[in-house]
Amino acid sequence: MDLTEKQTALEQCLDEFLCSKGVKPELLKLAKRHNALPVYADMGGTLFLTKQFEVLVHSECETESLVEESDPQWQLIAKLSAAEKYPALAFLRPERPEGASTCPECQGSGRLLGFRCGECSGLGWRHAL
């Protein structure tokens, strides 16, 4: 899949999101304004993915601004969440590198008690050192 096909897949997911029912109006407004797909939310804010696959964050403290997320861990979580929510974005999930070990916390499932494993961020494996 080339970059254009990947961007088209993300655009289709964004269109699907914008047409969904029951979405918070503030989230729709931010997604439209920034042309970005919301992919993960918790008490700290919401992560969005742009068509250039940049990860943006909206803090609950902010009103309508999104800023680039610089933390690689949160970037990974955004991409994993997008791949889980939208099968067309499965290409965002990194491939397990040779030599990576199975996560000892979640035994490779990526989940603990129904939540994303904090040790491996939901990958199920850890990079070899």
Side-chain angles (χ1 to χ4, degrees), residues 15-92:
D15 289 345
E16 177 185 316
F17 172 80
L18 294 173
C19 293
S20 26
K21 304 269 188 240
V23 177
K24 291 181 182 178
E26 317 82 67
L27 205 52
L28 278 173
K29 187 176 180 181
L30 286 168
K32 285 179 186 177
R33 171 173 283 137
H34 298 280
N35 203 24
L37 178 65
V39 294
Y40 177 86
D42 64 16
M43 290 178 17
T46 304
L47 297 174
F48 291 77
L49 198 57
T50 71
K51 286 190 277 184
Q52 291 72 38
F53 303 102
E54 296 169 319
V55 177
L56 305 177
V57 63
H58 174 257
S59 168
E60 295 303 321
C61 303
E62 298 294 324
T63 52
E64 295 186 16
S65 65
L66 298 181
V67 295
E68 190 170 346
E69 178 55 68
S70 60
D71 184 335
Q73 191 74 16
W74 285 112
Q75 292 175 4
L76 175 62
I77 288 171
K79 291 175 182 178
L80 288 172
S81 295
E84 289 170 2
K85 280 185 173 181
Y86 300 96
L89 302 180
F91 60 85
L92 292 170

Side-chain angles (χ1 to χ4, degrees), residues 96-109 119-120 123-129:
R96 182 177 176 149
E98 194 172 314
S101 60
T102 298
C103 176
E105 295 298 316
C106 66
Q107 285 78 47
S109 70
E119 185 69 28
C120 66
L123 288 170
W125 47 266
R126 299 189 314 189
H127 290 282
L129 299 176

